[in-house]
Amino acid sequence: MLVKDRMTANPYCIRKDTSISAALDLMAERDFHRIPVVDGQELVGLVTEGTIAENTPSKATSLSVYELNYLLAKSTVESVMIKDVVTIHPDALLEEAAVLMRQHDIGCLVVTEGRKVVGIITQNDIFEAFIDLLGYYEEGSRYVIQIAEDKPGVLADLTGLFFDETAQITNLAVYRKDAQTDVVIRARGVAPEVMKKLLSDHGYQVISVLTRCDQ
């Protein structure tokens, strides 16, 4: 899965001479939390609710509401934006985006081709991809199967058992931690109790089986 498959394409952008108050109004109107800043088509910064809050006086200061509003209307986003923006290419792997966000402790990446903004991807986009990958909203049953010996051919053997019962596997994931390997399979078209017994009869330890209504 690539970044371009999950990003918001052609996001709203603002110019660096946009007033802070106008940026805040756009965020409120569109329910945004961050907006790329461009000069022409070239990325020059990123403004977020957090950077605005960190770099402007709060209502607890001695400024009146009128003075605060005037300040926000006269100040531009160039004075508060993040200039060293972490970016990623649309053809990068989705997991690379997740690693970059974690490494830099940030909630989004601006997606660029050269310096041209083509999209934006957020933590929520990563979460949604993870949910879809595991098929949380898919119909069927979710089997967690512990593999005693992680060796070549074990997945072929395991999925073959589902094939023999004409079950449709919709999602599959493998978790490895220390010496333990768990395979998570979501499948439909077979009674879960029948499939669980078949797996057990073939020496597989079924840790759990959950149907859609159980989740």
Side-chain angles (χ1 to χ4, degrees):
M1 195 179 301
L2 304 179
V3 168
K4 64 184 177 185
D5 299 323
R6 288 290 174 170
M7 71 182 189
T8 298
N10 303 315
Y12 277 85
C13 297
I14 56 178
R15 298 182 308 183
K16 59 185 179 181
D17 60 354
T18 302
S19 69
I20 294 175
S21 60
L24 287 171
D25 289 343
L26 180 59
M27 288 183 185
E29 178 186 346
R30 299 286 179 175
D31 194 25
F32 293 157
H33 301 288
R34 70 279 291 178
I35 309 176
V37 183
V38 295
D39 184 2
Q41 291 188 328
E42 184 174 326
L43 176 70
V44 294
L46 179 71
V47 63
T48 72
E49 290 175 334
T51 56
I52 291 175
E54 290 170 4
N55 291 280
T56 56
S58 71
K59 293 181 179 179
T61 69
S62 60
L63 292 176
S64 67
V65 173
Y66 172 80
E67 290 171 324
L68 181 60
N69 288 337
Y70 178 82
L71 177 64
L72 294 179
K74 290 299 181 181
S75 301
T76 65
V77 295
E78 185 176 16
S79 63
V80 299
M81 70 185 185
I82 300 167
K83 295 182 174 65
D84 187 17
V85 184
V86 183
T87 64
I88 194 165
H89 194 274
D91 290 328
L93 295 174
L94 197 63
E95 51 264 44
E96 183 182 344
V99 169
L100 277 175
M101 288 186 200
R102 189 174 66 173
Q103 285 178 341
H104 294 275
D105 192 23
I106 53 179
C108 77
L109 296 170
V110 180
V111 186
T112 59
E113 289 183 332
R115 292 297 293 176
K116 181 182 178 182
V117 177
V118 296
I120 192 166
I121 189 165
T122 70
Q123 284 181 332
N124 283 344
D125 296 321
I126 303 293
F127 293 153
E128 288 174 6
F130 176 75
I131 291 168
D132 290 345
L133 188 65
L134 294 182
Y136 181 78
Y137 295 112
E138 294 284 343
E139 296 296 327
S141 298
R142 178 181 184 272
Y143 303 81
V144 180
I145 306 149
Q146 189 173 103
I147 304 300
E149 186 180 358
D150 191 356
K151 59 184 180 180
V154 67
L155 280 181
D157 180 65
L158 190 56
T159 55
L161 296 177
F162 284 85
F163 176 79
D164 291 342
E165 293 297 317
T166 64
Q168 179 187 4
I169 294 177
T170 59
N171 304 85
L172 187 150
V174 179
Y175 293 94
R176 293 183 176 89
K177 185 176 182 181
D178 301 327
Q180 181 174 321
T181 300
D182 291 342
V183 177
V184 180
I185 294 176
R186 185 176 293 277
R188 56 189 175 210
V190 61
E193 61 274 11
V194 171
M195 198 67 234
K196 181 178 180 180
K197 183 177 186 305
L198 181 62
L199 290 165
S200 298
D201 289 346
H202 281 76
Y204 290 106
Q205 184 178 356
V206 182
I207 305 300
S208 69
V209 180
L210 293 176
T211 59
R212 186 69 188 88
C213 59
D214 294 329
Q215 298 177 25

